Amino acid sequence: MLINNSEKIFFLKHPRLVRTFSSSRSLDLSLEYSSNSFSPLSDNDIQPSLHKDKKNRSVLQPDMIEAKKSKNKLNKKNRKLISVDPDDLMFTEKSAEVLTSNALNRSLPKSSKNNKQRKRTKIKSNNSLNNISDYLNNNNHQKQDDNIKSKDILIDRPLVVQHLSSKLNVPETEIITYLFLRGFSATINQIIDIQVASQVAKHYGFIVHHESTEVNPTNSNESLCHNFIQSIKRPPIVAILGHVDHGKTTLLNSILKTNLTQRESGGITQSLDGYEIDWPYNSLTYRLVFIDTPGHEAFVSMRSRGVQVADIVLLIVAADDGLKSQTIESIKYILNKKLLHIVAINKVDKFNSNVSKIREDLAAYDIVDKSWGGQSSIIEISALKDQNINLLLDNICMLADSHNFTANPDQLAQGIVLEANLDKQKGVVANLIVQEGTLSIGDFIVSGIHYGRIKMIFDSCKNKIQQALPSSVLQVLGFSSIPQAGMSFQLVNNEKEAKRKSLDATKYTSSSSSVNMLNNRITLESFQGLSVLKQVHVILKTNTQGSMEALMHSFSAISQEKVQINVVSASSTSLSNTDLDMALASNSIILGFNIYISSNIRSAAKKSNIVLQNFEIIYDLIDYLNNYMLDLLDPEYDQVLIGTATVQTTFSVNRGFAAGCLVNTGKLQSKCTIEIYRNAILMYTGILDSLKHIKDDISEVIVGNECGLMCINYHSWQKDDVIKAYELKEKDRIL
């Protein structure tokens, strides 16, 4: 650096930070320096580097040692005197990050009062100023946009306090304090009902929505990476959707030439099953994969998983029944996710079918047939009589041909867990559908926090195979624990990587589930202190996780204003003596769904007076639990007016005073409920204990007759008192 036409070298003794300026200030590119900040170096200060080793060590001169000691003392003194103005900001061009005054205050030492008047080096740059201003302006605009968006919140299910806190971006302690000040003591893991959560959100200025505008399939955040390098054509996956009893399984029977309906309890689908067929089209053989989904309202999670893996949706509508609730739900799936679809109007052979009405109803949901100028294919079929089944399959092949579904078989396999359960003989059984790659025996597999090594693979026909290509529906043995139905899975190279991914997934796994969402909820009534709920404790055992999800969904749909369901345990494992001990300790009932119960377990439960029920149809289990909850309710009565009477006289008897009365309307009955009015003012409500005619005890007195009556707890009779008699009729119990 040239200063006064001479070259000098300076070293920085007190480094300063670049300071930000407002745009209104003038820019000065001059460099200010002082003797305190920069000092010239003498020739003695610049020493050649000394090489030191064991054989040849440099010897320092005494004056050099003294200079070094002085320099160290000066450096220590200068470090104590560092002074930084909190208004200073540091700008880094590489990362474009700005450290705020709060960050500086946390990371830098505080300045002493003696150094506040020290001069600061100021380097001003127009480019740096513009960059910082643009960054801050963009950041402010982004924060404003985020604040506007954050005011809308979706609350469509009961929430744990901790999850509500993260949704609202409000500390848990504030929410707990808010509830406490309104008379309810909550914990961080307490379940809050939808209405209470909405009140909390509105208190913090949020706009609450209870319905989502889009379909969020299970674990949609775990998207699969599709690699199209060296891709091959794969079979299309066709999900069959529709309302219950509209003929979905009957259509599969017609396609597969089997009788699946006889295998299903109650003749209804209660699981998610996959089937494969080969169909000739255009002189080629096409493999088609069908996913049969249940149509009952409770199996919403299974239908969602079917949509999640589907390439094409086959919507079944009964010609004699029209569009029902699950039909409309399926249409929303199709429209929101923009899925390829074909509509099959089934049961057109029935005399009361109305195909034109169904086409009009579908058009109202923007599903218009190509013959009407739309984009959808609507085919009229009869699954029972095999009418137009060939045409339907040809249309599926045509649609698959036009979109050319591909996958890479050379990469590590990825897909979705359709179902999972614990089999007593086989161990953990997982039903998978492969979407990418090839899955083989011996591969390491990971799904969420669960992992294992594949031991056996069965295809859709229950045949053992060594490997499976994309679009295969499989049954796999090898998981060390039961994976979550609906979770994605992937193969990894070795067990170490599998354990690492499992451990990483543990950090993001929610501690709450649909099971405990029913337990210990803060409802609006309990929040306001208006109700004390009774509880029914349930231990639930199901054949698969999908069945457990469906039952939990049904339980949440049961009104719990008077009796609350407390699920002590829910699992898809076999029933054991441990479950009996748990039921005995918690006074729980055990409900099984399509599980095997040994005779020893049944006899042990009977001996311990434990309620143990097993069901094959979901309707029956829900009805049983509903009736069990009704039996826990206290009876409620309606008062029905049966007669009136007027007091004519009063007289004393051994046990107090009695009234002689004339029945004006209806009748009076012994042990009925009566109300006594005097001058239109209610004086007493109670039971008519004794009713006599002359000296004989009678059960009732009809209109126009006189009688004597007495109440043990009331003796203040007066002439002309009016008596109204009521009969109590028990109300129908409702939850």
Side-chain angles (χ1 to χ4, degrees):
M1 184 178 294
L2 292 177
I3 299 179
N4 297 329
N5 295 324
S6 62
E7 185 174 357
K8 290 184 179 292
I9 299 175
F10 296 85
F11 71 91
L12 191 62
K13 294 175 64 178
H14 303 293
R16 326 308 291 168
L17 298 175
V18 177
R19 185 178 181 183
T20 59
F21 301 89
S22 63
S23 58
S24 62
R25 297 183 181 181
S26 61
L27 298 177
D28 185 7
L29 297 177
S30 63
L31 176 66
E32 298 179 6
Y33 69 93
S34 65
S35 60
N36 292 330
S37 296
F38 296 89
S39 300
L41 286 173
S42 64
D43 294 336
N44 293 331
D45 292 332
I46 304 175
Q47 299 290 342
S49 61
L50 300 175
H51 178 70
K52 301 178 182 181
D53 53 27
K54 294 182 179 179
K55 297 181 179 179
N56 183 21
R57 297 181 179 273
S58 299
V59 179
L60 297 176
Q61 300 298 327
D63 56 343
M64 294 176 61
I65 297 175
E66 292 297 328
K68 188 174 181 180
K69 289 182 179 180
S70 301
K71 185 177 179 180
N72 290 337
K73 291 180 180 179
L74 182 62
N75 289 337
K76 291 180 180 179
K77 182 178 180 181
N78 289 337
R79 282 199 296 269
K80 295 179 180 179
L81 298 178
I82 290 177
S83 175
V84 178
D85 194 330
D87 294 333
D88 289 342
L89 295 173
M90 182 172 69
F91 177 73
T92 305
E93 291 184 358
K94 292 183 180 180
S95 60
E97 292 178 352
V98 177
L99 298 179
T100 64
S101 58
N102 292 333
L104 289 174
N105 289 335
R106 289 193 299 266
S107 60
L108 296 176
K110 296 181 179 179
S111 60
S112 61
K113 294 182 180 179
N114 296 331
N115 295 319
K116 285 188 176 179
Q117 304 300 325
R118 295 178 60 87
K119 291 184 178 180
R120 295 186 297 271
T121 303
K122 301 178 181 178
I123 300 176
K124 306 175 183 179
S125 172
N126 190 26
N127 292 334
S128 297
L129 175 63
N130 292 334
N131 289 337
I132 295 173
S133 299
D134 293 341
Y135 179 87
L136 293 176
N137 290 335
N138 292 335
N139 195 33
N140 289 336
H141 288 310
Q142 184 66 34
K143 287 183 178 179
Q144 290 176 359
D145 294 340
D146 292 342
N147 289 336
I148 293 173
K149 293 177 182 177
S150 65
K151 286 301 177 184
D152 290 306
I153 186 172
L154 174 66
I155 299 178
D156 58 352
R157 64 184 64 188
L159 294 172
V160 181
V161 170
Q162 185 178 14
H163 293 172
L164 180 62
S165 169
S166 61
K167 269 181 169 285
L168 302 180
N169 198 20
V170 174
E172 297 95 336
T173 52
E174 287 194 22
I175 296 177
I176 293 172
T177 303
Y178 173 80
L179 296 173
F180 179 77
L181 292 177
R182 280 148 187 81
F184 199 96
S185 178
T187 63
I188 193 173
N189 295 319
Q190 193 89 41
I191 307 295
I192 297 182
D193 201 24
I194 294 177
Q195 293 174 311
V196 179
S198 300
Q199 284 191 7
V200 175
K202 290 176 181 177
H203 171 72
Y204 289 102
F206 286 86
I207 301 173
V208 180
H209 301 279
H210 296 298
E211 292 185 0
S212 176
T213 57
E214 61 181 13
V215 178
N216 295 320
T218 309
N219 297 297
S220 61
N221 58 325
E222 300 186 24
S223 59
L224 296 173
C225 300
H226 294 273
N227 183 4
F228 293 101
I229 301 174
Q230 300 179 351
S231 294
I232 62 170
K233 191 171 182 179
R234 64 173 177 83
I237 301 172
V238 183
I240 304 178
L241 300 180
H243 194 71
V244 64
D245 290 335
H246 275 205
K248 299 183 295 300
T249 305
T250 305
L251 174 62
L252 272 176
N253 288 337
S254 179
I255 293 173
L256 302 174
K257 306 303 179 184
T258 57
N259 194 348
L260 301 174
T261 309
Q262 287 185 355
R263 305 181 197 172
E264 298 172 338
S265 301
I268 63 171
T269 303
Q270 300 180 115
S271 61
L272 200 63
D273 298 315
Y275 306 93
E276 299 178 6
I277 66 160
D278 293 327
W279 182 255
Y281 175 72
N282 281 351
S283 302
L284 296 174
T285 300
Y286 285 74
R287 171 151 290 191
L288 305 178
V289 179
F290 290 95
I291 304 294
D292 188 16
T293 64
H296 188 273
E297 179 187 3
F299 296 96
V300 60
S301 296
M302 287 191 187
R303 288 191 294 274
S304 177
R305 286 197 289 278
V307 171
Q308 188 179 357
V309 300
D311 300 312
I312 301 172
V313 171
L314 179 57
L315 178 61
I316 310 297
V317 184
D320 61 337
D321 203 16
L323 272 60
K324 296 297 181 182
S325 56
Q326 270 59 64
T327 312
I328 297 172
E329 176 195 288
S330 303
I331 291 173
K332 289 180 179 178
Y333 282 141
I334 293 171
L335 297 179
N336 291 339
K337 296 183 70 64
K338 298 180 181 179
L339 295 171
L340 300 175
H341 60 278
I342 296 174
V343 179
I345 302 178
N346 193 22
K347 304 182 182 181
V348 294
D349 56 306
K350 288 197 170 184
F351 70 92
N352 58 342
S353 62
N354 192 346
V355 176
S356 59
K357 176 66 167 55
I358 292 175
R359 288 179 178 269
E360 292 174 1
D361 293 341
L362 290 170
Y365 288 95
D366 294 330
I367 295 183
V368 183
D369 190 15
K370 292 179 179 178
S371 62
W372 287 16
Q375 301 295 323
S376 303
S377 297
I378 300 179
I379 303 173
E380 301 174 12
I381 66 169
S382 173
L384 195 61
K385 295 188 176 181
D386 290 342
Q387 180 179 338
N388 286 339
I389 302 301
N390 295 352
L391 178 62
L392 176 63
L393 295 177
D394 287 346
N395 272 267
I396 294 174
C397 295
M398 187 189 309
L399 191 59
D401 235 3
S402 63
H403 287 79
N404 192 29
F405 301 111
T406 60
N408 180 13
D410 295 330
Q411 72 176 59
L412 294 174
Q414 296 176 330
I416 299 294
V417 179
L418 296 179
E419 194 58 270
N421 67 289
L422 181 62
D423 188 89
K424 194 170 184 179
Q425 283 80 29
K426 299 178 181 178
V428 178
V429 179
N431 295 341
L432 314 176
I433 186 162
V434 181
Q435 293 178 303
E436 286 284 343
T438 301
L439 186 144
S440 306
I441 292 178
D443 289 339
F444 291 95
I445 187 170
V446 182
S447 177
I449 62 175
H450 310 279
Y451 71 95
R453 190 171 189 177
I454 298 175
K455 300 175 182 177
M456 299 182 72
I457 306 175
F458 300 90
D459 62 12
S460 59
C461 298
K462 309 304 179 186
N463 299 318
K464 286 185 181 181
I465 56 176
Q466 294 297 315
Q467 66 177 17
L469 296 174
S471 295
S472 298
V473 180
L474 311 170
Q475 192 176 83
V476 168
L477 308 183
F479 274 101
S480 57
S481 55
I482 303 175
Q484 180 65 42
M487 289 284 288
S488 62
F489 75 85
Q490 64 181 105
L491 299 185
V492 294
N493 295 315
N494 50 56
E495 186 177 8
K496 183 178 179 180
E497 186 178 355
K499 290 181 178 179
R500 180 181 60 80
K501 286 185 174 293
S502 173
L503 185 61
D504 291 342
T506 306
K507 302 175 184 177
Y508 305 101
T509 302
S510 173
S511 59
S512 65
S513 64
S514 59
V515 174
N516 61 24
M517 279 296 176
L518 290 169
N519 302 343
N520 300 322
R521 291 187 301 171
I522 302 176
T523 63
L524 185 63
E525 290 77 13
S526 60
F527 177 66
Q528 296 172 345
L530 300 178
S531 65
V532 178
L533 297 180
K534 293 186 176 182
Q535 288 191 338
V536 52
H537 303 288
V538 177
I539 294 176
L540 182 63
K541 291 287 182 178
T542 63
N543 58 340
T544 62
Q545 282 194 351
S547 300
M548 185 176 66
E549 289 176 349
L551 286 168
M552 295 306 302
H553 180 270
S554 298
F555 290 175
S556 64
I558 299 175
S559 174
Q560 298 183 52
E561 294 181 3
K562 299 177 181 178
V563 180
Q564 182 172 315
I565 301 173
N566 180 34
V567 180
V568 177
S569 171
S571 62
S572 53
T573 57
S574 58
L575 191 62
S576 65
N577 288 318
T578 304
D579 298 310
L580 296 184
D581 295 337
M582 185 186 299
L584 196 60
S586 60
N587 193 25
S588 302
I589 63 174
I590 301 177
L591 300 180
F593 182 72
N594 281 322
I595 62 171
Y596 170 75
I597 303 176
S598 65
S599 57
N600 293 334
I601 294 292
R602 287 189 181 276
S603 60
K606 186 176 181 180
K607 185 177 180 180
S608 302
N609 292 322
I610 297 173
V611 177
L612 172 59
Q613 297 290 334
N614 189 28
F615 302 90
E616 295 182 348
I617 305 174
I618 191 171
Y619 305 106
D620 297 338
L621 190 150
I622 296 170
D623 290 342
Y624 176 85
L625 181 59
N626 194 77
N627 293 329
Y628 189 91
M629 294 169 67
L630 287 174
D631 292 339
L632 296 178
L633 294 177
D634 295 326
E636 297 179 357
Y637 299 93
D638 280 328
Q639 286 187 343
V640 180
L641 182 66
I642 60 174
T644 61
T646 305
V647 177
Q648 302 291 322
T649 184
T650 63
F651 49 90
S652 176
V653 293
N654 293 334
R655 294 181 293 174
F657 287 87
C661 306
L662 174 66
V663 179
N664 299 322
T665 60
K667 61 183 179 180
L668 299 184
Q669 286 182 338
S670 178
K671 306 301 180 182
C672 71
T673 300
I674 62 172
E675 293 178 346
I676 302 172
Y677 291 87
R678 185 175 300 152
N679 299 325
I681 299 175
L682 180 63
M683 304 300 295
Y684 173 75
T685 299
I687 303 297
L688 198 160
D689 296 301
S690 177
L691 184 63
K692 292 191 176 186
H693 180 67
I694 305 177
K695 292 184 179 181
D696 299 326
D697 291 324
I698 55 177
S699 59
E700 67 177 26
V701 180
I702 61 175
V703 60
N705 291 303
E706 294 181 344
C707 63
L709 56 87
M710 186 180 69
C711 297
I712 296 175
N713 297 323
Y714 183 76
H715 304 286
S716 302
W717 300 99
Q718 291 187 13
K719 187 180 179 182
D720 296 330
D721 284 350
V722 176
I723 302 171
K724 293 183 178 180
Y726 297 93
E727 184 180 30
L728 298 181
K729 288 190 175 180
E730 186 175 349
K731 292 181 180 180
D732 292 335
R733 300 186 184 187
I734 57 173
L735 294 173

